[in-house]
Amino acid sequence: MLSIASARGLSLLGGLPDAAALVVEGSTIHYAELSRRVRERTAELGETRRLVMIAASNTLEPIVTYLAALEGAHPVLFVADGDDEASVAARAALTKRFNPDVVAHNGPSGWILDERHTGSRHTFNPDLALLASTSGSTGSPKLVRLSFDNLRSNAASIAEYLRLEPGDRAATTLPLQYCYGLSVVNSHLLSGASVMLTERSVTDEEFWHEASAHRVTSFAGVPHTFELLEASGFADHPVPSLRYVTQAGGRLAPETVHRFARIGRERGFEFFVMYGQTEATARMAYLPPERIATSAGAIGRPIPGGRFRIDVRGTDAPDGSHGELVYQGPNVMLGYAETPADFELGRTVHELRTGDLARRRDDGLYEIVGRMSRFVKIFGLRVDLDRVERLLADEGIAVRVANADERLLLFATSDRTARRAQERAAALLGLPVHAIGTYAVQEFPRTSSGKPDTAALVRFAALQDRAAPVQRQTPGESAAQAAGASAEAVSELFSALLSRPEVSLNDSFAGLGGDSLSYIEVSLRLEAMLGTLPRDWPTRSVRELAAFATEAADGESIAVATGPADAAQTPVGARKRSRVPLLARLETPAALRAVAIVLIVGTHADLFVLQGGAHLLLAVAGYNLARFQLASVPGLSRVRSLGRSAAQLAVPAVLWIGAVALLSGQYRPTTVLLVNNVVPGDGRWNDQWQFWFLEAMLWTIVGLAALFAIRAVDRLERRSPFGFALVGSAIALIARFAIAGPHAEYVERYTLPVVVWLIALGWLVARSDTTARRLLVSAIAVASCLGFFGDPLREAIVAGGVLALIWIPAVRVPQVLVPPVAAIAGASMFIYLTHWQVYPPLEQSAPWLGTLLSLTVGVIVWRVYTLASDRVAGAVGRMRTRAASTRESEAEGHPAGPATAAAPAHSG
């Protein structure tokens, strides 16, 4: 089939009849079948030209309706297909303003064409093909008028520089109402290639499964897409068929461009950085992949058929000069439409003034250096708002910057960050503090296309200024929602306790890298803020936790206000009660960790003889591994999370044991390196076995990291988490019985192959999400513990602890005991590590003191190590940020510094 463009329509179907055109829910639709469906839909729309509004979703019917409307020369207006308040309001506003003749959307019984008029109420220019929002959201007050030739020429240019062929297949990772997303469909169908229709996010494991299964060769993303890819471990999602990846929709930091280009070189795909605007149909420039190494940060060269010029006061500027970027080409829009009367207008725009400040480099590539509207005068200084953002980012301060009425507006995700940003911006720019407004938001808003929504932030600032000192609310949120939600408080809590400066509403504790070392403090603080937590809280998002707290608050006030008594100062979502309760709720895993480590230390110090604590601690550790490092949540790379946990265990252990070995000679190098298990011995206990527990945990974590690096294994576990854990437990028990039989003798009970069943059992407990499964796992726990030690009391301690883990989500303890219990539980690994050097001198004379000192020293070492590691991590992060800033500044051709953000304004 040939693509045909005329004043009476456009066909984009360029494939052979038996070639694949679309992949829909696993089924292939060939060009012949798609053409038949399009012809039928064209007949339904009729011969009279009509304005067709299409509720856009990445599914079959909107695509068929769009292609049919183009072939029948019916102008198309895409709108978001969502039932959220913003989408519904946007559709209603556009319907009222532009009065579509036909509205195509999903109805109760399927896809329907809602014919609002007989014939049409409008007169159309013969060339008008598409009406598109200028912002990527359907609430824009004016629409871009695009012609049939605009669509065809831009699709052909994109296909040319991407070298599209019939064998290519793109995944729909962007919405159709966004010009970038639509251009992917247009260019592939025009080239005879195919498109896999999906509405899954790139953070969804099933997206990558489908992409591999259907041999997807490309996908497209905006900067936010690549943030999600990095957070969700894109490096762990290989798609062998992937040929290229494209990025547009906003500037991507040069270091990020380099990272994805490097992944592409390793995986065999090319990374294209592109530049465009809706007013140019979609694309205007692209950066060839081979130029990324030397030119990351540039937008590249014009697309085939287009050209740029740099305009300075109406004249073309020489190379190197800064001026407005102006584009010419067959894809430049006809003009804007602000009312239906504009539909009959012809071409009113002949070149596109982009509004971007740019320069042509010596190598012939073009580079954006700012936005004309992002340079403002404040107190006589010409301030580059984008540069202010980068300067603050260099210091580890994440903000969004805007301006209003000669005031600089800074937006951050917490009040603390906003205040710090204000102080640093004033110092960097030489501005008075009162000229800088600061605002805390729950998250930085984005348009439906994923671009930063600066306009929403400015509106939010104006609302806050008018409403002060009334409690603030976030953009897009009602006052009622702001009063009841606790999302901001949860975000700030996660940010502070997990050392994560950016926490969004969709992040979860597990997704942010939370683990068994941090969850105790987080869970206690969350309980104080929100009340009783659900058992699966580590995998719930900030938004879900806030909603849970709000629902719970409808019944009774269950949280203690952590702020001042004045209600206006109470943190969002925190609720007061008249007195502090005598009993506090403590999660069972935390309580068991505290109990187990006390049993270990007390038994070793001869204060009492209650063995089994270390083996119980292994089961609790397996439970926590499954909840945190192996959680199936967006934003979590399991392999990376397991690697972090291995390092968190190995580094302090090797440092402590190594230091003791150097000072006393007590331990061999194999013990220092936690490989005593592989050293042949006489089968009897000695000092080298003291750290068997840490060895078992470390090498289990390393083994799991290697196992889950296999994508097929990872996918299998995500599909059947309980079944996977059940099989894993069975294998571990078989290994135990094969090596030691029903009763483990001497040091057998401390070797990795014989004790790994306890870690697997804890994992299985975490995956037991129904009563039937808990009953089954309870039986397995009791049966597997019987006879293992040959000591009924020891076996009862382990089995009883596991049963508590299964059936008792939390326990009530006196409020006064919560801080010490939480500290002991949090420091359990460090107490285990250090107690061998603390209690022995007191073992005979004062075992109670030896026990107490062992617990105290372990907690102190834990606190000191945590503080030191946080400071080291912060210093490393700042060094990386500065290094990245230096590279970026060098790429831009000028040094980083305040002088580039604010310079004296020229008169006039």
Side-chain angles (χ1 to χ4, degrees):
M1 300 180 189
L2 296 176
S3 169
I4 303 170
S6 73
R8 289 300 298 164
L10 166 66
S11 173
L12 290 173
L13 302 183
L16 296 173
D18 60 349
L22 302 173
V23 176
V24 183
E25 296 179 349
S27 300
T28 300
I29 294 180
H30 297 89
Y31 273 92
E33 170 65 12
L34 181 57
S35 179
R36 181 189 64 77
R37 290 172 179 255
V38 169
R39 287 196 304 272
E40 291 176 355
R41 187 63 45 81
T42 303
E44 290 181 57
L45 291 172
E47 295 186 1
T48 301
R49 297 187 74 194
R50 298 193 285 178
L51 177 59
V52 180
M53 176 185 281
I54 302 175
S57 60
N58 293 331
T59 54
L60 177 62
E61 293 299 341
I63 295 286
V64 171
T65 305
Y66 164 65
L67 295 172
L70 288 185
E71 289 204 9
H74 303 286
V76 172
L77 171 58
F78 276 116
V79 292
D81 179 33
D83 54 8
D84 57 285
E85 185 178 347
S87 296
V88 171
R91 285 199 299 272
L94 283 172
T95 301
K96 180 178 180 181
R97 182 165 189 157
F98 293 102
N99 194 18
D101 301 307
V102 179
V103 178
H105 62 94
N106 273 310
S109 58
W111 188 256
I112 60 173
L113 300 181
D114 182 7
E115 302 199 16
R116 303 175 70 243
H117 309 133
T118 301
S120 177
R121 300 293 178 88
H122 309 296
T123 302
F124 303 106
N125 184 277
D127 294 328
L128 182 62
L130 181 72
L131 295 161
S133 167
T134 58
S135 64
S137 69
T138 54
S140 176
K142 61 182 178 182
L143 301 176
V144 171
R145 293 183 292 116
L146 298 174
S147 69
F148 296 107
D149 192 52
N150 288 154
L151 296 176
R152 186 206 57 77
S153 65
N154 201 230
S157 295
I158 294 169
E160 180 179 341
Y161 70 75
L162 291 179
R163 303 185 299 279
L164 295 184
E165 298 176 348
D168 281 309
R169 176 169 293 164
T172 53
T173 49
L174 297 169
L176 284 179
Q177 73 269 20
Y178 178 34
C179 69
Y180 184 15
L182 187 61
S183 73
V184 172
V185 174
N186 291 346
S187 58
H188 278 72
L189 294 182
L190 183 70
S191 305
S194 58
V195 180
M196 183 186 83
L197 300 181
T198 178
E199 297 200 283
R200 297 187 188 278
S201 166
V202 293
T203 63
D204 190 333
E205 283 293 317
E206 278 303 308
F207 172 84
W208 299 106
H209 176 67
E210 291 177 356
S212 295
H214 297 297
R215 301 189 59 78
V216 163
T217 61
S218 72
F219 67 87
V222 296
H224 184 55
T225 307
F226 293 92
E227 291 175 12
L228 295 174
L229 287 171
E230 291 200 296
S232 61
F234 174 62
D236 299 331
H237 294 95
V239 179
S241 57
L242 198 62
R243 185 173 73 79
Y244 70 91
V245 174
T246 65
Q247 180 272 320
R251 183 179 185 273
L252 195 63
E255 58 268 23
T256 306
V257 173
H258 281 298
R259 281 198 299 274
F260 278 92
R262 175 183 54 77
I263 294 172
R265 289 192 298 272
E266 294 171 354
R267 296 269 191 85
F269 67 80
E270 293 183 305
F271 188 61
F272 285 85
V273 176
M274 308 191 299
Y275 167 78
Q277 292 181 0
T278 308
E279 287 85 346
T281 308
R283 306 274 64 80
M284 287 185 280
Y286 71 101
L287 180 64
E290 65 272 14
R291 302 295 293 272
I292 284 177
T294 57
S295 305
I299 62 170
R301 61 172 64 125
I303 64 173
R307 64 177 294 268
F308 285 130
R309 67 182 182 86
I310 304 296
D311 182 274
V312 178
R313 298 185 182 89
T315 62
D316 289 353
D319 289 356
S321 298
H322 291 189
E324 184 177 10
L325 186 67
V326 180
Y327 176 78
Q328 296 172 330
N331 52 313
V332 172
M333 66 176 177
L334 298 172
Y336 292 110
E338 297 189 47
T339 68
D342 295 330
F343 295 164
E344 60 182 315
L345 294 178
R347 179 171 292 280
T348 59
V349 175
H350 297 278
E351 63 178 12
L352 178 60
R353 305 189 72 87
T354 65
D356 286 324
L357 195 63
R359 69 185 182 101
R360 187 177 188 271
R361 302 170 6 147
D362 293 339
D363 58 8
L365 300 180
Y366 288 83
E367 182 178 38
I368 304 296
V369 297
R371 182 77 181 156
M372 301 288 285
S373 60
R374 295 280 286 172
F375 282 81
V376 297
K377 289 182 182 180
I378 300 176
F379 279 80
L381 294 179
R382 187 168 183 264
V383 178
D384 177 352
L385 303 183
D386 293 323
R387 189 64 185 164
V388 173
E389 283 189 9
R390 291 197 291 270
L391 284 171
L392 292 174
D394 289 347
E395 301 194 12
I397 307 173
V399 296
R400 295 292 180 268
V401 182
N403 74 289
D405 300 325
E406 286 209 5
R407 288 178 71 231
L408 193 65
L409 308 180
L410 304 181
F411 301 86
T413 52
S414 72
D415 288 320
R416 182 177 61 254
T417 303
R419 287 192 297 271
R420 185 178 167 214
Q422 184 182 43
E423 294 170 1
R424 294 304 302 142
L428 290 167
L429 305 177
L431 290 172
V433 173
H434 67 79
I436 303 174
T438 59
Y439 306 86
V441 296
Q442 283 188 3
E443 61 183 351
F444 298 128
R446 295 179 180 274
T447 66
S448 63
S449 62
K451 295 182 179 180
D453 195 344
T454 304
L457 289 173
V458 173
R459 292 193 299 271
F460 172 61
L463 177 65
Q464 296 303 293
D465 291 342
R466 288 197 303 269
V470 176
Q471 179 175 311
R472 290 182 174 179
Q473 60 193 86
T474 59
E477 183 180 49
S478 69
Q481 288 171 319
S486 56
E488 181 178 1
V490 176
S491 294
E492 288 197 23
L493 180 68
F494 281 176
S495 178
L497 298 186
L498 300 179
S499 299
R500 296 293 293 262
E502 295 288 343
V503 177
S504 76
L505 294 182
N506 296 318
D507 286 329
S508 65
F509 173 82
L512 290 167
D515 54 27
S516 60
L517 297 178
S518 55
Y519 101 95
I520 294 174
E521 185 175 6
V522 173
S523 66
L524 289 173
R525 296 278 293 275
L526 273 179
E527 288 256 345
M529 179 186 295
L530 305 179
T532 302
L533 295 174
R535 193 164 189 162
D536 63 346
W537 73 262
T539 59
R540 292 202 184 193
S541 68
V542 170
R543 192 193 309 275
E544 290 169 337
L545 287 172
F548 174 84
T550 302
E551 291 168 7
D554 289 340
E556 60 173 328
S557 179
I558 57 172
V560 179
T562 57
D566 190 333
Q569 299 299 318
T570 301
V572 178
R575 284 166 290 278
K576 297 185 291 184
R577 41 187 310 175
S578 58
R579 59 186 177 85
V580 176
L582 295 177
L583 295 178
R585 185 177 178 275
L586 188 67
E587 285 202 354
T588 299
L592 287 176
R593 280 173 66 177
V595 169
I597 196 63
V598 169
L599 292 181
I600 292 168
V601 175
T603 298
H604 289 171
D606 287 339
L607 180 63
F608 45 71
V609 180
L610 291 172
Q611 294 178 297
H615 290 80
L616 172 58
L617 210 51
L618 279 180
V620 176
Y623 178 83
N624 287 330
L625 269 178
R627 290 178 84 197
F628 308 134
Q629 286 81 4
L630 298 177
S632 184
V633 295
L636 178 69
S637 165
R638 287 170 156 182
V639 174
R640 196 155 49 228
S641 183
L642 288 165
R644 278 197 304 268
S645 294
Q648 288 170 348
L649 188 156
V651 172
V654 170
L655 288 175
W656 179 268
I657 302 169
V660 174
L662 286 174
L663 293 173
S664 67
Q666 181 179 358
Y667 302 119
R668 293 194 294 256
T670 50
T671 303
V672 174
L673 297 176
L674 300 175
V675 291
N676 184 62
N677 260 272
V678 300
V679 178
D682 59 4
R684 296 187 179 277
W685 178 270
N686 57 53
D687 286 355
Q688 310 311 315
W689 282 99
Q690 288 177 351
F691 304 103
W692 69 270
F693 171 84
L694 300 180
E695 282 193 40
M697 279 307 306
L698 174 63
W699 296 112
T700 298
I701 292 171
V702 171
L704 288 173
L707 183 65
F708 281 95
I710 304 170
R711 298 306 304 159
V713 173
D714 186 69
R715 286 194 295 268
L716 178 62
E717 196 280 338
R718 291 178 191 270
R719 286 198 206 103
S720 182
F722 179 78
F724 192 97
L726 187 62
V727 171
S729 293
I731 293 171
L733 281 170
I734 290 170
R736 166 197 149 182
F737 281 102
I739 296 169
H743 172 57
E745 298 284 349
Y746 302 109
V747 296
E748 275 184 342
R749 64 188 61 156
Y750 307 120
T751 58
L752 174 59
V754 176
V755 300
V756 74
W757 69 272
L758 286 158
I759 300 174
L761 179 61
W763 182 353
L764 183 60
V765 170
R767 297 295 190 246
S768 303
D769 52 0
T770 66
T771 300
R773 288 175 175 177
R774 292 190 185 109
L775 287 170
L776 173 62
V777 176
S778 297
I780 292 172
V782 172
S784 56
C785 287
L786 286 176
F788 180 65
F789 301 106
D791 179 350
L793 178 58
R794 194 172 185 178
E795 292 159 3
I797 287 174
V798 176
V802 173
L803 290 175
L805 203 59
I806 296 171
W807 296 105
I808 307 174
V811 295
R812 294 284 180 179
V813 298
Q815 182 77 43
V816 69
L817 292 182
V818 170
V821 171
I824 291 170
S828 56
M829 186 190 83
F830 287 83
I831 294 171
Y832 184 90
L833 184 65
T834 60
H835 84 288
W836 300 105
Q837 280 69 52
V838 179
Y839 76 82
L842 300 167
E843 189 173 0
Q844 300 300 321
S845 59
W848 65 271
L849 184 57
T851 300
L852 182 61
L853 285 177
S854 293
L855 298 175
T856 304
V857 169
V859 171
I860 292 172
V861 172
W862 169 54
R863 293 291 190 189
V864 170
Y865 179 83
T866 302
L867 179 63
S869 60
D870 285 348
R871 289 188 175 180
V872 170
V876 171
R878 288 190 293 273
M879 289 172 62
R880 287 176 176 170
T881 300
R882 292 193 187 102
S885 176
T886 300
R887 290 193 299 269
E888 181 181 339
S889 298
E890 289 173 352
E892 292 175 355
H894 50 71
T900 62
H906 295 290
S907 60

